[in-house]
Amino acid sequence: MKKSMIRNGLILGIFALICTALVAVVNHLTADQIKQQETQELGRILQQIIPTQLHDNRITEHCIRITAPAALGTINSMPAYIATKDDIPTAIAMETIAPDGYNGNIRIIVGISAQGEVLGVRTLAQQETPGLGDKIEIRKSDWVNSFKGMFLTPDTASQWQVKKDGGSIDQFTGATITPRAYVKAVKNTVNYFNLHKSTLLKQTANCETI
């Protein structure tokens, strides 16, 4: 009985090692393909939020890292992508986190012109309630387009809230927490850019080194 248990244990151990090795090999073989697909998807999103007439560079290749926990909702450094035309910075796309979504973190990317105008916003990752909070997805609703064309100034700051809180942005029926968190995150990101844009737009690409 004891020998049978040992033998079965060895068989299970060998099987587990083989499976682990196979997974490692598959991961290694597909890593480059996955990375390429992620880059293509990022490029597609950047095309949606930064108009082509504003740049002649490959935006994904001019990536910088920003660490600003209070503004970007995370202690981790976040990527941002700088658009240039004739080597002059024209816009930036900044990734940010809304940490207080209904079901946790919401990852967002915000396109902002050098003049501080919101060019576009997209949701990169979310776990909000289907049919309610997931209206932050462009494929579910055009709600994220509410930010397009907005500026954040002392005169317009009060608009950067959902209507229930006295602002100009619609909330969702039956779901206020998600849009409220989303608006706050976008507002904090735009405010950070307004305060630091001269420094941000001059940074050289550094994503690979951090």
Side-chain angles (χ1 to χ4, degrees):
M1 181 71 178
K2 187 175 181 181
K3 289 182 178 180
S4 177
M5 291 177 64
I6 293 174
R7 184 175 64 253
N8 289 338
L10 287 172
I11 292 172
L12 287 173
I14 292 170
F15 182 74
L17 287 173
I18 292 172
C19 289
T20 301
L22 287 173
V23 170
V25 170
V26 171
N27 286 339
H28 176 72
L29 293 176
T30 59
D32 289 343
Q33 183 179 356
I34 292 171
K35 181 65 176 176
Q36 183 180 14
Q37 290 175 344
E38 290 175 345
T39 300
Q40 289 175 346
E41 176 63 11
L42 174 63
R44 185 184 66 80
I45 292 172
L46 290 173
Q47 286 179 355
Q48 294 177 12
I49 63 174
I50 298 182
T52 55
Q53 63 267 27
L54 286 184
H55 68 92
D56 54 18
N57 69 320
R58 299 182 69 172
I59 308 177
T60 56
E61 295 181 359
H62 195 155
C63 174
I64 64 174
R65 305 291 301 195
I66 304 170
T67 302
L72 302 184
T74 176
I75 61 173
N76 300 319
S77 66
M78 297 294 285
Y81 307 89
I82 299 175
T84 62
K85 191 163 189 178
D86 298 327
D87 294 326
I88 298 173
T90 57
I92 190 170
M94 299 174 60
E95 290 194 25
T96 188
I97 297 288
D100 45 0
Y102 186 77
N103 286 324
N105 289 349
I106 304 170
R107 194 178 184 101
I108 305 165
I109 189 165
V110 186
I112 312 168
S113 75
Q115 292 73 40
E117 178 186 4
V118 177
L119 301 172
V121 177
R122 290 293 183 272
T123 303
L124 299 178
Q126 58 87 19
Q127 303 176 69
E128 300 303 279
T129 306
L132 293 173
D134 66 349
K135 292 177 183 176
I136 56 178
E137 293 275 4
I138 190 66
R139 59 190 176 86
K140 298 289 183 68
S141 163
D142 64 354
W143 179 82
V144 292
N145 290 330
S146 303
F147 299 95
K148 192 173 181 179
M150 291 186 72
F151 289 85
L152 178 58
T153 68
D155 292 334
T156 64
S158 61
Q159 299 175 15
W160 285 80
Q161 300 179 86
V162 295
K163 288 181 178 178
K164 187 174 183 179
D165 298 333
S168 64
I169 301 175
D170 289 328
Q171 59 268 355
F172 307 147
T173 301
T176 302
I177 293 175
T178 299
R180 182 182 283 143
Y182 203 103
V183 173
K184 179 182 175 183
V186 176
K187 180 181 180 181
N188 287 344
T189 303
V190 176
N191 184 58
Y192 182 85
F193 173 75
N194 288 342
L195 293 173
H196 303 280
K197 64 180 178 181
S198 59
T199 301
L200 292 173
L201 295 177
K202 291 178 181 177
Q203 286 193 39
T204 56
N206 60 16
C207 281
E208 296 300 320
T209 59
I210 295 181

